[in-house]
Amino acid sequence: MSFFGNILRACALGAAVAVAAWSPATAQENPSAVIDEIRASGELKIPVMVGEEPGYIKDPSTGTWSGFYVDFLTDVANELGVKVTPVETTWGNLAADFQANKIDVAIGVNPNPKRGLVVDYLWEPIFTDAWGVFSPKGKPVATWAELNTPEKTVVVQKGSTMQIVAEALLPKAKITVVEDRNLAIMELQAGRADAMIQSIFDVLQISKQVNGEVSVPEPMLRNPATLAVARKPGNAGFINFLTNWIQQQRSLGLAQGRLAKSWEDRGIDLSILPSNFSF
């Protein structure tokens, strides 16, 4: 065989090897694989949390779940033609739940670098919140600097974004970490904490149950409430579907209307929010 013939033969063999190596990988990259799995299972597994009203509300007599977060994800499930299956958990356990395939999608989460190692966040938020502070009656908090002293104790929930906020902004304060919102309220009521950090909408909810001060300290920290899915092959189509769903919810005012009605139904006065804040 000629020199040029050998070259052509080598090129042909190289191309064949490349095709053989490329074809199986390409065949496995089905962007709708996660959607197909959810539809095949007939259920959309969602996280639900005790003490997180009005986003998650558990009926103690029946054990059924409602709330605006549940309503949102029920809409998603209906679009996919499946039912919603609630999985009781906490904010701090979401990453582990995704890795264990216990949940398919979470809502109302904040981008978190550590959790972002195993979770894909959607960059379009379903709404925008802000970080607020709940403190004893007569002791409002005008600025974050007021809490950043060794004499102040601030309570936050374990593994939450509010813990990151506290550790970043209040390095001089004592930070008390608890498992859930109810325990945080107990710390405040017992006089063991000077303030608790929550999203402003959660602070408004707490103020309906406990007498205290609602504050949005300056500088205002906006808080995107987005969706998250497990990072795994085949979730690109699921992310695209959810992004389109979010954009429709926001652009048509569906998300804003549902949220406002949910809070008003529970007697929460939104007029306390700063004039420069919108969700």
Side-chain angles (χ1 to χ4, degrees):
M1 183 177 290
S2 68
F3 172 74
F4 290 107
N6 286 332
I7 292 178
L8 291 174
R9 183 171 179 274
C11 289
L13 286 172
V17 170
V19 169
W22 173 83
S23 296
T26 303
Q28 292 172 9
E29 291 173 1
N30 172 15
S32 296
V34 170
I35 290 179
D36 292 343
E37 289 174 9
I38 292 170
R39 283 177 163 165
S41 71
E43 61 179 359
L44 181 72
K45 301 187 293 294
I46 68 167
V48 291
M49 304 174 201
V50 174
E52 295 288 337
E53 298 86 359
Y56 300 103
I57 304 170
K58 185 176 184 179
D59 186 329
S61 62
T62 64
T64 57
W65 288 89
S66 60
F68 62 80
Y69 282 144
V70 176
D71 290 343
F72 276 133
L73 293 182
T74 298
D75 283 352
V76 170
N78 289 339
E79 292 285 346
L80 294 172
V82 298
K83 67 175 183 178
V84 161
T85 298
V87 178
E88 200 165 305
T89 187
T90 65
W91 294 115
N93 286 335
L94 286 182
D97 291 337
F98 274 123
Q99 288 182 298
N101 201 35
K102 291 182 179 179
I103 56 176
D104 297 310
V105 59
I107 190 170
V109 293
N110 314 119
N112 178 314
K114 181 177 289 186
R115 201 187 297 154
L117 295 173
V118 296
V119 172
D120 281 328
Y121 290 97
L122 278 69
W123 290 107
E124 180 78 16
I126 187 69
F127 65 92
T128 301
D129 204 338
W131 290 112
V133 169
F134 189 70
S135 54
K137 196 67 178 176
K139 297 181 179 180
V141 179
T143 68
W144 291 104
E146 292 176 25
L147 294 175
N148 190 29
T149 69
E151 294 76 29
K152 297 293 185 180
T153 298
V154 179
V155 62
V156 296
Q157 289 172 234
K158 182 180 180 181
S160 65
T161 308
M162 62 198 77
Q163 182 178 352
I164 297 175
V165 171
E167 291 172 349
L169 286 181
L170 313 173
K172 297 178 183 178
K174 178 184 177 183
I175 308 299
T176 299
V177 180
V178 297
E179 286 291 336
D180 57 44
R181 186 195 298 179
N182 289 334
L183 290 175
I185 294 173
M186 288 174 61
E187 289 293 306
L188 201 66
Q189 289 179 309
R192 292 189 292 267
D194 299 289
M196 63 183 290
I197 298 176
Q198 293 278 344
S199 73
I200 185 56
F201 294 125
D202 287 338
V203 173
L204 290 172
Q205 170 68 26
I206 293 167
S207 70
K208 293 292 294 180
Q209 306 166 332
V210 182
N211 192 26
E213 297 287 345
V214 174
S215 304
V216 182
E218 289 291 338
M220 184 192 297
L221 300 179
R222 293 189 177 274
N223 172 31
T226 186
L227 276 72
V229 300
R231 176 172 300 150
K232 58 184 180 181
N235 72 358
F238 193 32
I239 290 174
N240 180 66
F241 160 74
L242 291 171
T243 300
N244 279 274
W245 175 80
I246 289 174
Q247 290 177 337
Q248 183 186 58
Q249 289 287 312
R250 289 192 60 79
S251 65
L252 299 181
L254 302 176
Q256 298 91 324
R258 170 173 283 166
L259 292 168
K261 183 178 186 305
S262 177
W263 289 312
E264 288 168 2
D265 286 348
R266 298 181 72 83
I268 294 175
D269 181 11
L270 299 181
S271 66
I272 194 173
L273 297 174
S275 59
N276 62 339
F277 173 76
S278 63
F279 57 89

